[in-house]
Amino acid sequence: MPMGSGSQIHYKQNRLKQLRAFCHAARTGSVSAAAEKIFLSQPTVSLQIQALEREFGTVLFERRGPKIRLTPEGDLLFQMAEPLVEGMDKLHDAFATQCGRVDKGVLNIAAGESTILYILPEPVRAFVDQFPGIELKLHNVTGRDGLAMLRADEVDLAVGSMLETPDDITYRPFVTYQPTLITPQDHPLANKTSVTLEEIAPYGLILPPRHLSTWRLVDLVFKQHNLGYRVTMEAGGWEVIKKYVELGLGISIVTDVCLTGEENLGVIPIGQYFPKRSYGIVQRRGKFLSPQTKCFMKTLDRIFADRVVEPQPQTVGEAKWEDAFLG
């Protein structure tokens, strides 16, 4: 063995440990949180980050009390190092996948309640049947909490509906659904094949809570057409809204993903006024895709292969991943 080769190997092993500590600190914004995630002491993580700073001759974090934030140089190193660290950490699983053996592991998915109820049952059943050894964990969360879990690497992916996509998040829709007016079966509009906003306006609407996207969209559409509208009830969740419409307490505007055809409702498409709602895969940009994640994404694509997805314009801004009626 050439002189010094052993120390060179040891040095490279230390480099991986330093980069792992750095990446976890960058994701969490906290040295103590990073230490907890990689089962090291806080002083050890601090020393590893300081060693990287000495080697690269730069400051990687701005330190403000207990919180830390990446400097521009730190952000550059994070973008370069994160795929390397995740690739090394998932090397065993990736090798097993290439050999056709994905028979164990854990897959964490974040989704809102309506996505879990209406979108995921069929792909989850197919995935569990095909990969019984993979432990699947569904996290029922709001959109904001789902994004926070993605950014903290607490979940592998999220499934939901995004109206705006921030810079650090990717969104790939795989299915779309139609906006639909639902009414009691004995309602004056129930037997119509199409309705106008003017016909809808006089009747009381049952809508989800005011802070969610559906209410804002309804308000925008009616204002664009210089029409007023009445909200007679706020209710959270499509099943609740459908039940109260069936009882004759109002009409509502929903996405037809929640309609099974067994409801006692009048159903009228209103796509001429309201946009279609897409559901898709939400991920942190640049995240290493585990074999389990890739397998689940393939399952989603296979299950929804016959549902045409129309491209939707997306803007960069504050995330508004809202699961239709549930945030």
Side-chain angles (χ1 to χ4, degrees), residues 164-200:
E164 298 182 7
T165 308
D167 287 332
D168 62 331
I169 297 295
T170 65
Y171 176 61
R172 180 172 69 82
F174 56 80
V175 66
T176 55
Y177 291 94
Q178 301 284 346
T180 303
L181 179 75
I182 57 173
T183 72
Q185 280 202 334
D186 59 355
H187 193 274
L189 301 178
N191 294 321
K192 289 181 172 288
T193 56
S194 65
V195 294
T196 65
L197 284 181
E198 288 81 2
E199 289 175 303
I200 295 173

PDB file of all heavy atoms in Angstrom, residues 164-200:
ATOM      1  N   GLU A 164     -49.823  27.197  -6.445  1.00  0.00           N
ATOM      2  CA  GLU A 164     -48.585  27.913  -6.711  1.00  0.00           C
ATOM      3  C   GLU A 164     -47.428  27.061  -6.208  1.00  0.00           C
ATOM      4  O   GLU A 164     -47.535  26.385  -5.191  1.00  0.00           O
ATOM      5  CB  GLU A 164     -48.574  29.274  -6.019  1.00  0.00           C
ATOM      6  CG  GLU A 164     -49.683  30.200  -6.500  1.00  0.00           C
ATOM      7  CD  GLU A 164     -49.623  31.566  -5.845  1.00  0.00           C
ATOM      8  OE1 GLU A 164     -48.643  31.841  -5.126  1.00  0.00           O
ATOM      9  OE2 GLU A 164     -50.558  32.347  -6.052  1.00  0.00           O
ATOM     10  N   THR A 165     -46.305  27.091  -6.934  1.00  0.00           N
ATOM     11  CA  THR A 165     -45.174  26.236  -6.596  1.00  0.00           C
ATOM     12  C   THR A 165     -43.968  27.094  -6.242  1.00  0.00           C
ATOM     13  O   THR A 165     -43.448  27.810  -7.103  1.00  0.00           O
ATOM     14  CB  THR A 165     -44.812  25.323  -7.781  1.00  0.00           C
ATOM     15  OG1 THR A 165     -45.982  24.638  -8.209  1.00  0.00           O
ATOM     16  CG2 THR A 165     -43.765  24.310  -7.370  1.00  0.00           C
ATOM     17  N   PRO A 166     -43.501  27.063  -4.993  1.00  0.00           N
ATOM     18  CA  PRO A 166     -42.321  27.845  -4.622  1.00  0.00           C
ATOM     19  C   PRO A 166     -41.046  27.283  -5.252  1.00  0.00           C
ATOM     20  O   PRO A 166     -41.028  26.161  -5.770  1.00  0.00           O
ATOM     21  CB  PRO A 166     -42.286  27.720  -3.084  1.00  0.00           C
ATOM     22  CG  PRO A 166     -43.083  26.507  -2.777  1.00  0.00           C
ATOM     23  CD  PRO A 166     -44.099  26.347  -3.858  1.00  0.00           C
ATOM     24  N   ASP A 167     -39.986  28.070  -5.191  1.00  0.00           N
ATOM     25  CA  ASP A 167     -38.749  27.736  -5.894  1.00  0.00           C
ATOM     26  C   ASP A 167     -38.154  26.405  -5.473  1.00  0.00           C
ATOM     27  O   ASP A 167     -37.537  25.710  -6.283  1.00  0.00           O
ATOM     28  CB  ASP A 167     -37.696  28.829  -5.671  1.00  0.00           C
ATOM     29  CG  ASP A 167     -38.019  30.093  -6.461  1.00  0.00           C
ATOM     30  OD1 ASP A 167     -38.675  29.971  -7.504  1.00  0.00           O
ATOM     31  OD2 ASP A 167     -37.619  31.176  -6.022  1.00  0.00           O
ATOM     32  N   ASP A 168     -38.290  26.051  -4.197  1.00  0.00           N
ATOM     33  CA  ASP A 168     -37.601  24.855  -3.694  1.00  0.00           C
ATOM     34  C   ASP A 168     -38.462  23.592  -3.774  1.00  0.00           C
ATOM     35  O   ASP A 168     -38.085  22.550  -3.244  1.00  0.00           O
ATOM     36  CB  ASP A 168     -37.150  25.074  -2.246  1.00  0.00           C
ATOM     37  CG  ASP A 168     -38.321  25.305  -1.296  1.00  0.00           C
ATOM     38  OD1 ASP A 168     -39.366  25.822  -1.736  1.00  0.00           O
ATOM     39  OD2 ASP A 168     -38.193  24.965  -0.098  1.00  0.00           O
ATOM     40  N   ILE A 169     -39.611  23.686  -4.431  1.00  0.00           N
ATOM     41  CA  ILE A 169     -40.558  22.575  -4.500  1.00  0.00           C
ATOM     42  C   ILE A 169     -40.861  22.258  -5.966  1.00  0.00           C
ATOM     43  O   ILE A 169     -40.948  23.151  -6.803  1.00  0.00           O
ATOM     44  CB  ILE A 169     -41.867  22.930  -3.757  1.00  0.00           C
ATOM     45  CG1 ILE A 169     -41.599  23.158  -2.266  1.00  0.00           C
ATOM     46  CG2 ILE A 169     -42.926  21.849  -3.946  1.00  0.00           C
ATOM     47  CD1 ILE A 169     -41.115  21.928  -1.509  1.00  0.00           C
ATOM     48  N   THR A 170     -41.016  20.975  -6.273  1.00  0.00           N
ATOM     49  CA  THR A 170     -41.469  20.576  -7.604  1.00  0.00           C
ATOM     50  C   THR A 170     -42.867  19.968  -7.499  1.00  0.00           C
ATOM     51  O   THR A 170     -43.205  19.356  -6.485  1.00  0.00           O
ATOM     52  CB  THR A 170     -40.524  19.542  -8.252  1.00  0.00           C
ATOM     53  OG1 THR A 170     -40.546  18.324  -7.482  1.00  0.00           O
ATOM     54  CG2 THR A 170     -39.104  20.075  -8.321  1.00  0.00           C
ATOM     55  N   TYR A 171     -43.652  20.157  -8.545  1.00  0.00           N
ATOM     56  CA  TYR A 171     -45.022  19.644  -8.580  1.00  0.00           C
ATOM     57  C   TYR A 171     -45.275  19.045  -9.955  1.00  0.00           C
ATOM     58  O   TYR A 171     -45.156  19.726 -10.965  1.00  0.00           O
ATOM     59  CB  TYR A 171     -46.014  20.779  -8.305  1.00  0.00           C
ATOM     60  CG  TYR A 171     -47.470  20.378  -8.406  1.00  0.00           C
ATOM     61  CD1 TYR A 171     -48.002  19.394  -7.580  1.00  0.00           C
ATOM     62  CD2 TYR A 171     -48.314  21.001  -9.324  1.00  0.00           C
ATOM     63  CE1 TYR A 171     -49.333  19.035  -7.668  1.00  0.00           C
ATOM     64  CE2 TYR A 171     -49.651  20.653  -9.411  1.00  0.00           C
ATOM     65  CZ  TYR A 171     -50.160  19.670  -8.580  1.00  0.00           C
ATOM     66  OH  TYR A 171     -51.472  19.316  -8.669  1.00  0.00           O
ATOM     67  N   ARG A 172     -45.597  17.749  -9.976  1.00  0.00           N
ATOM     68  CA  ARG A 172     -45.890  17.071 -11.238  1.00  0.00           C
ATOM     69  C   ARG A 172     -47.299  16.482 -11.173  1.00  0.00           C
ATOM     70  O   ARG A 172     -47.518  15.454 -10.540  1.00  0.00           O
ATOM     71  CB  ARG A 172     -44.868  15.962 -11.517  1.00  0.00           C
ATOM     72  CG  ARG A 172     -45.170  15.233 -12.839  1.00  0.00           C
ATOM     73  CD  ARG A 172     -44.074  14.280 -13.223  1.00  0.00           C
ATOM     74  NE  ARG A 172     -43.950  13.125 -12.358  1.00  0.00           N
ATOM     75  CZ  ARG A 172     -44.700  12.026 -12.446  1.00  0.00           C
ATOM     76  NH1 ARG A 172     -45.671  11.945 -13.338  1.00  0.00           N
ATOM     77  NH2 ARG A 172     -44.485  11.014 -11.624  1.00  0.00           N
ATOM     78  N   PRO A 173     -48.274  17.139 -11.810  1.00  0.00           N
ATOM     79  CA  PRO A 173     -49.644  16.617 -11.770  1.00  0.00           C
ATOM     80  C   PRO A 173     -49.774  15.323 -12.558  1.00  0.00           C
ATOM     81  O   PRO A 173     -49.108  15.133 -13.571  1.00  0.00           O
ATOM     82  CB  PRO A 173     -50.474  17.733 -12.404  1.00  0.00           C
ATOM     83  CG  PRO A 173     -49.518  18.531 -13.209  1.00  0.00           C
ATOM     84  CD  PRO A 173     -48.176  18.410 -12.555  1.00  0.00           C
ATOM     85  N   PHE A 174     -50.630  14.428 -12.062  1.00  0.00           N
ATOM     86  CA  PHE A 174     -50.851  13.163 -12.760  1.00  0.00           C
ATOM     87  C   PHE A 174     -52.330  12.900 -13.038  1.00  0.00           C
ATOM     88  O   PHE A 174     -52.664  11.937 -13.720  1.00  0.00           O
ATOM     89  CB  PHE A 174     -50.251  11.979 -11.973  1.00  0.00           C
ATOM     90  CG  PHE A 174     -50.765  11.849 -10.558  1.00  0.00           C
ATOM     91  CD1 PHE A 174     -51.992  11.275 -10.281  1.00  0.00           C
ATOM     92  CD2 PHE A 174     -50.000  12.299  -9.507  1.00  0.00           C
ATOM     93  CE1 PHE A 174     -52.462  11.154  -8.986  1.00  0.00           C
ATOM     94  CE2 PHE A 174     -50.445  12.175  -8.196  1.00  0.00           C
ATOM     95  CZ  PHE A 174     -51.686  11.613  -7.938  1.00  0.00           C
ATOM     96  N   VAL A 175     -53.220  13.749 -12.529  1.00  0.00           N
ATOM     97  CA  VAL A 175     -54.642  13.537 -12.773  1.00  0.00           C
ATOM     98  C   VAL A 175     -55.370  14.867 -12.573  1.00  0.00           C
ATOM     99  O   VAL A 175     -54.933  15.717 -11.787  1.00  0.00           O
ATOM    100  CB  VAL A 175     -55.204  12.454 -11.825  1.00  0.00           C
ATOM    101  CG1 VAL A 175     -55.167  12.899 -10.370  1.00  0.00           C
ATOM    102  CG2 VAL A 175     -56.621  12.055 -12.222  1.00  0.00           C
ATOM    103  N   THR A 176     -56.438  15.074 -13.333  1.00  0.00           N
ATOM    104  CA  THR A 176     -57.254  16.275 -13.161  1.00  0.00           C
ATOM    105  C   THR A 176     -58.722  15.883 -12.974  1.00  0.00           C
ATOM    106  O   THR A 176     -59.165  14.835 -13.455  1.00  0.00           O
ATOM    107  CB  THR A 176     -57.153  17.215 -14.377  1.00  0.00           C
ATOM    108  OG1 THR A 176     -57.493  16.489 -15.558  1.00  0.00           O
ATOM    109  CG2 THR A 176     -55.764  17.789 -14.519  1.00  0.00           C
ATOM    110  N   TYR A 177     -59.445  16.770 -12.275  1.00  0.00           N
ATOM    111  CA  TYR A 177     -60.872  16.554 -12.038  1.00  0.00           C
ATOM    112  C   TYR A 177     -61.642  17.824 -12.364  1.00  0.00           C
ATOM    113  O   TYR A 177     -61.084  18.925 -12.395  1.00  0.00           O
ATOM    114  CB  TYR A 177     -61.113  16.124 -10.592  1.00  0.00           C
ATOM    115  CG  TYR A 177     -60.591  14.736 -10.292  1.00  0.00           C
ATOM    116  CD1 TYR A 177     -59.318  14.564  -9.751  1.00  0.00           C
ATOM    117  CD2 TYR A 177     -61.350  13.615 -10.570  1.00  0.00           C
ATOM    118  CE1 TYR A 177     -58.833  13.291  -9.482  1.00  0.00           C
ATOM    119  CE2 TYR A 177     -60.871  12.343 -10.314  1.00  0.00           C
ATOM    120  CZ  TYR A 177     -59.606  12.190  -9.775  1.00  0.00           C
ATOM    121  OH  TYR A 177     -59.125  10.926  -9.531  1.00  0.00           O
ATOM    122  N   GLN A 178     -62.948  17.651 -12.600  1.00  0.00           N
ATOM    123  CA  GLN A 178     -63.782  18.736 -13.097  1.00  0.00           C
ATOM    124  C   GLN A 178     -64.496  19.468 -11.959  1.00  0.00           C
ATOM    125  O   GLN A 178     -64.972  18.835 -11.004  1.00  0.00           O
ATOM    126  CB  GLN A 178     -64.858  18.175 -14.047  1.00  0.00           C
ATOM    127  CG  GLN A 178     -64.316  17.425 -15.249  1.00  0.00           C
ATOM    128  CD  GLN A 178     -63.761  18.356 -16.301  1.00  0.00           C
ATOM    129  OE1 GLN A 178     -63.995  19.554 -16.265  1.00  0.00           O
ATOM    130  NE2 GLN A 178     -63.012  17.793 -17.244  1.00  0.00           N
ATOM    131  N   PRO A 179     -64.634  20.793 -12.076  1.00  0.00           N
ATOM    132  CA  PRO A 179     -65.473  21.531 -11.117  1.00  0.00           C
ATOM    133  C   PRO A 179     -66.945  21.219 -11.373  1.00  0.00           C
ATOM    134  O   PRO A 179     -67.373  21.116 -12.531  1.00  0.00           O
ATOM    135  CB  PRO A 179     -65.144  22.990 -11.431  1.00  0.00           C
ATOM    136  CG  PRO A 179     -64.701  22.983 -12.857  1.00  0.00           C
ATOM    137  CD  PRO A 179     -64.029  21.655 -13.084  1.00  0.00           C
ATOM    138  N   THR A 180     -67.715  21.066 -10.303  1.00  0.00           N
ATOM    139  CA  THR A 180     -69.097  20.579 -10.423  1.00  0.00           C
ATOM    140  C   THR A 180     -69.988  21.268  -9.401  1.00  0.00           C
ATOM    141  O   THR A 180     -69.592  21.453  -8.244  1.00  0.00           O
ATOM    142  CB  THR A 180     -69.146  19.053 -10.189  1.00  0.00           C
ATOM    143  OG1 THR A 180     -68.266  18.415 -11.120  1.00  0.00           O
ATOM    144  CG2 THR A 180     -70.545  18.514 -10.374  1.00  0.00           C
ATOM    145  N   LEU A 181     -71.177  21.628  -9.839  1.00  0.00           N
ATOM    146  CA  LEU A 181     -72.193  22.140  -8.917  1.00  0.00           C
ATOM    147  C   LEU A 181     -73.011  20.965  -8.403  1.00  0.00           C
ATOM    148  O   LEU A 181     -73.457  20.123  -9.188  1.00  0.00           O
ATOM    149  CB  LEU A 181     -73.111  23.128  -9.639  1.00  0.00           C
ATOM    150  CG  LEU A 181     -74.241  23.723  -8.776  1.00  0.00           C
ATOM    151  CD1 LEU A 181     -73.688  24.762  -7.816  1.00  0.00           C
ATOM    152  CD2 LEU A 181     -75.325  24.339  -9.678  1.00  0.00           C
ATOM    153  N   ILE A 182     -73.206  20.882  -7.096  1.00  0.00           N
ATOM    154  CA  ILE A 182     -74.072  19.842  -6.525  1.00  0.00           C
ATOM    155  C   ILE A 182     -75.258  20.507  -5.834  1.00  0.00           C
ATOM    156  O   ILE A 182     -75.128  21.554  -5.197  1.00  0.00           O
ATOM    157  CB  ILE A 182     -73.320  18.901  -5.563  1.00  0.00           C
ATOM    158  CG1 ILE A 182     -72.656  19.678  -4.414  1.00  0.00           C
ATOM    159  CG2 ILE A 182     -72.282  18.089  -6.319  1.00  0.00           C
ATOM    160  CD1 ILE A 182     -72.044  18.773  -3.331  1.00  0.00           C
ATOM    161  N   THR A 183     -76.417  19.879  -5.988  1.00  0.00           N
ATOM    162  CA  THR A 183     -77.657  20.409  -5.425  1.00  0.00           C
ATOM    163  C   THR A 183     -78.466  19.261  -4.827  1.00  0.00           C
ATOM    164  O   THR A 183     -78.231  18.090  -5.161  1.00  0.00           O
ATOM    165  CB  THR A 183     -78.520  21.086  -6.518  1.00  0.00           C
ATOM    166  OG1 THR A 183     -79.081  20.053  -7.359  1.00  0.00           O
ATOM    167  CG2 THR A 183     -77.705  22.046  -7.370  1.00  0.00           C
ATOM    168  N   PRO A 184     -79.432  19.581  -3.960  1.00  0.00           N
ATOM    169  CA  PRO A 184     -80.396  18.535  -3.570  1.00  0.00           C
ATOM    170  C   PRO A 184     -81.146  18.050  -4.809  1.00  0.00           C
ATOM    171  O   PRO A 184     -81.283  18.791  -5.791  1.00  0.00           O
ATOM    172  CB  PRO A 184     -81.341  19.262  -2.597  1.00  0.00           C
ATOM    173  CG  PRO A 184     -80.595  20.469  -2.154  1.00  0.00           C
ATOM    174  CD  PRO A 184     -79.694  20.867  -3.285  1.00  0.00           C
ATOM    175  N   GLN A 185     -81.634  16.823  -4.788  1.00  0.00           N
ATOM    176  CA  GLN A 185     -82.289  16.281  -5.980  1.00  0.00           C
ATOM    177  C   GLN A 185     -83.592  16.996  -6.330  1.00  0.00           C
ATOM    178  O   GLN A 185     -84.011  16.982  -7.485  1.00  0.00           O
ATOM    179  CB  GLN A 185     -82.538  14.782  -5.798  1.00  0.00           C
ATOM    180  CG  GLN A 185     -81.306  13.939  -6.069  1.00  0.00           C
ATOM    181  CD  GLN A 185     -81.654  12.507  -6.400  1.00  0.00           C
ATOM    182  OE1 GLN A 185     -82.697  11.996  -5.997  1.00  0.00           O
ATOM    183  NE2 GLN A 185     -80.764  11.846  -7.149  1.00  0.00           N
ATOM    184  N   ASP A 186     -84.248  17.618  -5.335  1.00  0.00           N
ATOM    185  CA  ASP A 186     -85.502  18.328  -5.624  1.00  0.00           C
ATOM    186  C   ASP A 186     -85.280  19.823  -5.847  1.00  0.00           C
ATOM    187  O   ASP A 186     -86.221  20.612  -5.831  1.00  0.00           O
ATOM    188  CB  ASP A 186     -86.505  18.114  -4.485  1.00  0.00           C
ATOM    189  CG  ASP A 186     -85.971  18.597  -3.141  1.00  0.00           C
ATOM    190  OD1 ASP A 186     -84.781  19.011  -3.079  1.00  0.00           O
ATOM    191  OD2 ASP A 186     -86.720  18.564  -2.147  1.00  0.00           O
ATOM    192  N   HIS A 187     -84.047  20.227  -6.083  1.00  0.00           N
ATOM    193  CA  HIS A 187     -83.716  21.640  -6.268  1.00  0.00           C
ATOM    194  C   HIS A 187     -84.098  22.085  -7.685  1.00  0.00           C
ATOM    195  O   HIS A 187     -84.059  21.281  -8.629  1.00  0.00           O
ATOM    196  CB  HIS A 187     -82.207  21.830  -6.045  1.00  0.00           C
ATOM    197  CG  HIS A 187     -81.801  23.263  -5.904  1.00  0.00           C
ATOM    198  ND1 HIS A 187     -81.506  24.087  -6.976  1.00  0.00           N
ATOM    199  CD2 HIS A 187     -81.640  24.035  -4.794  1.00  0.00           C
ATOM    200  CE1 HIS A 187     -81.174  25.280  -6.524  1.00  0.00           C
ATOM    201  NE2 HIS A 187     -81.240  25.283  -5.216  1.00  0.00           N
ATOM    202  N   PRO A 188     -84.476  23.355  -7.876  1.00  0.00           N
ATOM    203  CA  PRO A 188     -84.843  23.832  -9.219  1.00  0.00           C
ATOM    204  C   PRO A 188     -83.744  23.658 -10.277  1.00  0.00           C
ATOM    205  O   PRO A 188     -84.042  23.555 -11.470  1.00  0.00           O
ATOM    206  CB  PRO A 188     -85.136  25.319  -8.988  1.00  0.00           C
ATOM    207  CG  PRO A 188     -85.541  25.411  -7.556  1.00  0.00           C
ATOM    208  CD  PRO A 188     -84.757  24.355  -6.834  1.00  0.00           C
ATOM    209  N   LEU A 189     -82.473  23.607  -9.860  1.00  0.00           N
ATOM    210  CA  LEU A 189     -81.376  23.452 -10.824  1.00  0.00           C
ATOM    211  C   LEU A 189     -80.991  22.001 -11.065  1.00  0.00           C
ATOM    212  O   LEU A 189     -80.201  21.711 -11.969  1.00  0.00           O
ATOM    213  CB  LEU A 189     -80.128  24.213 -10.335  1.00  0.00           C
ATOM    214  CG  LEU A 189     -80.272  25.726 -10.105  1.00  0.00           C
ATOM    215  CD1 LEU A 189     -78.952  26.294  -9.584  1.00  0.00           C
ATOM    216  CD2 LEU A 189     -80.697  26.443 -11.386  1.00  0.00           C
ATOM    217  N   ALA A 190     -81.558  21.080 -10.297  1.00  0.00           N
ATOM    218  CA  ALA A 190     -81.055  19.705 -10.266  1.00  0.00           C
ATOM    219  C   ALA A 190     -81.149  18.989 -11.609  1.00  0.00           C
ATOM    220  O   ALA A 190     -80.296  18.162 -11.932  1.00  0.00           O
ATOM    221  CB  ALA A 190     -81.800  18.903  -9.198  1.00  0.00           C
ATOM    222  N   ASN A 191     -82.174  19.280 -12.389  1.00  0.00           N
ATOM    223  CA  ASN A 191     -82.384  18.537 -13.632  1.00  0.00           C
ATOM    224  C   ASN A 191     -81.762  19.209 -14.858  1.00  0.00           C
ATOM    225  O   ASN A 191     -81.941  18.732 -15.983  1.00  0.00           O
ATOM    226  CB  ASN A 191     -83.889  18.337 -13.866  1.00  0.00           C
ATOM    227  CG  ASN A 191     -84.503  17.441 -12.800  1.00  0.00           C
ATOM    228  OD1 ASN A 191     -83.884  16.467 -12.376  1.00  0.00           O
ATOM    229  ND2 ASN A 191     -85.699  17.792 -12.351  1.00  0.00           N
ATOM    230  N   LYS A 192     -81.029  20.286 -14.647  1.00  0.00           N
ATOM    231  CA  LYS A 192     -80.414  20.980 -15.765  1.00  0.00           C
ATOM    232  C   LYS A 192     -79.115  20.280 -16.170  1.00  0.00           C
ATOM    233  O   LYS A 192     -78.413  19.702 -15.336  1.00  0.00           O
ATOM    234  CB  LYS A 192     -80.124  22.437 -15.390  1.00  0.00           C
ATOM    235  CG  LYS A 192     -81.372  23.305 -15.265  1.00  0.00           C
ATOM    236  CD  LYS A 192     -80.998  24.733 -14.909  1.00  0.00           C
ATOM    237  CE  LYS A 192     -82.196  25.648 -14.967  1.00  0.00           C
ATOM    238  NZ  LYS A 192     -82.622  25.912 -16.373  1.00  0.00           N
ATOM    239  N   THR A 193     -78.777  20.336 -17.438  1.00  0.00           N
ATOM    240  CA  THR A 193     -77.500  19.780 -17.907  1.00  0.00           C
ATOM    241  C   THR A 193     -76.393  20.827 -17.859  1.00  0.00           C
ATOM    242  O   THR A 193     -75.209  20.485 -17.883  1.00  0.00           O
ATOM    243  CB  THR A 193     -77.630  19.260 -19.354  1.00  0.00           C
ATOM    244  OG1 THR A 193     -78.111  20.321 -20.188  1.00  0.00           O
ATOM    245  CG2 THR A 193     -78.605  18.088 -19.401  1.00  0.00           C
ATOM    246  N   SER A 194     -76.786  22.111 -17.795  1.00  0.00           N
ATOM    247  CA  SER A 194     -75.811  23.184 -17.645  1.00  0.00           C
ATOM    248  C   SER A 194     -76.494  24.338 -16.924  1.00  0.00           C
ATOM    249  O   SER A 194     -77.713  24.492 -16.997  1.00  0.00           O
ATOM    250  CB  SER A 194     -75.260  23.642 -19.001  1.00  0.00           C
ATOM    251  OG  SER A 194     -76.291  24.220 -19.778  1.00  0.00           O
ATOM    252  N   VAL A 195     -75.679  25.126 -16.224  1.00  0.00           N
ATOM    253  CA  VAL A 195     -76.217  26.278 -15.496  1.00  0.00           C
ATOM    254  C   VAL A 195     -75.284  27.463 -15.712  1.00  0.00           C
ATOM    255  O   VAL A 195     -74.098  27.302 -16.028  1.00  0.00           O
ATOM    256  CB  VAL A 195     -76.354  26.001 -13.984  1.00  0.00           C
ATOM    257  CG1 VAL A 195     -77.397  24.944 -13.708  1.00  0.00           C
ATOM    258  CG2 VAL A 195     -75.006  25.609 -13.380  1.00  0.00           C
ATOM    259  N   THR A 196     -75.828  28.663 -15.508  1.00  0.00           N
ATOM    260  CA  THR A 196     -75.031  29.882 -15.573  1.00  0.00           C
ATOM    261  C   THR A 196     -74.777  30.382 -14.149  1.00  0.00           C
ATOM    262  O   THR A 196     -75.470  29.990 -13.199  1.00  0.00           O
ATOM    263  CB  THR A 196     -75.754  30.971 -16.364  1.00  0.00           C
ATOM    264  OG1 THR A 196     -76.956  31.338 -15.652  1.00  0.00           O
ATOM    265  CG2 THR A 196     -76.117  30.480 -17.762  1.00  0.00           C
ATOM    266  N   LEU A 197     -73.791  31.262 -14.008  1.00  0.00           N
ATOM    267  CA  LEU A 197     -73.543  31.866 -12.696  1.00  0.00           C
ATOM    268  C   LEU A 197     -74.752  32.668 -12.223  1.00  0.00           C
ATOM    269  O   LEU A 197     -75.043  32.718 -11.025  1.00  0.00           O
ATOM    270  CB  LEU A 197     -72.302  32.772 -12.762  1.00  0.00           C
ATOM    271  CG  LEU A 197     -70.929  32.100 -12.793  1.00  0.00           C
ATOM    272  CD1 LEU A 197     -69.839  33.152 -12.834  1.00  0.00           C
ATOM    273  CD2 LEU A 197     -70.733  31.183 -11.588  1.00  0.00           C
ATOM    274  N   GLU A 198     -75.434  33.300 -13.178  1.00  0.00           N
ATOM    275  CA  GLU A 198     -76.627  34.068 -12.817  1.00  0.00           C
ATOM    276  C   GLU A 198     -77.688  33.159 -12.187  1.00  0.00           C
ATOM    277  O   GLU A 198     -78.409  33.583 -11.271  1.00  0.00           O
ATOM    278  CB  GLU A 198     -77.212  34.761 -14.056  1.00  0.00           C
ATOM    279  CG  GLU A 198     -76.397  35.942 -14.571  1.00  0.00           C
ATOM    280  CD  GLU A 198     -75.205  35.509 -15.421  1.00  0.00           C
ATOM    281  OE1 GLU A 198     -75.031  34.285 -15.644  1.00  0.00           O
ATOM    282  OE2 GLU A 198     -74.450  36.391 -15.854  1.00  0.00           O
ATOM    283  N   GLU A 199     -77.797  31.927 -12.651  1.00  0.00           N
ATOM    284  CA  GLU A 199     -78.770  30.991 -12.081  1.00  0.00           C
ATOM    285  C   GLU A 199     -78.326  30.498 -10.707  1.00  0.00           C
ATOM    286  O   GLU A 199     -79.158  30.203  -9.845  1.00  0.00           O
ATOM    287  CB  GLU A 199     -78.946  29.800 -13.024  1.00  0.00           C
ATOM    288  CG  GLU A 199     -79.686  30.141 -14.316  1.00  0.00           C
ATOM    289  CD  GLU A 199     -79.737  28.955 -15.270  1.00  0.00           C
ATOM    290  OE1 GLU A 199     -78.661  28.420 -15.636  1.00  0.00           O
ATOM    291  OE2 GLU A 199     -80.864  28.558 -15.640  1.00  0.00           O
ATOM    292  N   ILE A 200     -77.026  30.402 -10.499  1.00  0.00           N
ATOM    293  CA  ILE A 200     -76.507  29.913  -9.207  1.00  0.00           C
ATOM    294  C   ILE A 200     -76.621  30.990  -8.126  1.00  0.00           C
ATOM    295  O   ILE A 200     -76.911  30.697  -6.964  1.00  0.00           O
ATOM    296  CB  ILE A 200     -75.031  29.485  -9.365  1.00  0.00           C
ATOM    297  CG1 ILE A 200     -74.920  28.290 -10.308  1.00  0.00           C
ATOM    298  CG2 ILE A 200     -74.409  29.132  -8.002  1.00  0.00           C
ATOM    299  CD1 ILE A 200     -73.469  27.913 -10.648  1.00  0.00           C
TER     300      ILE A 200
END
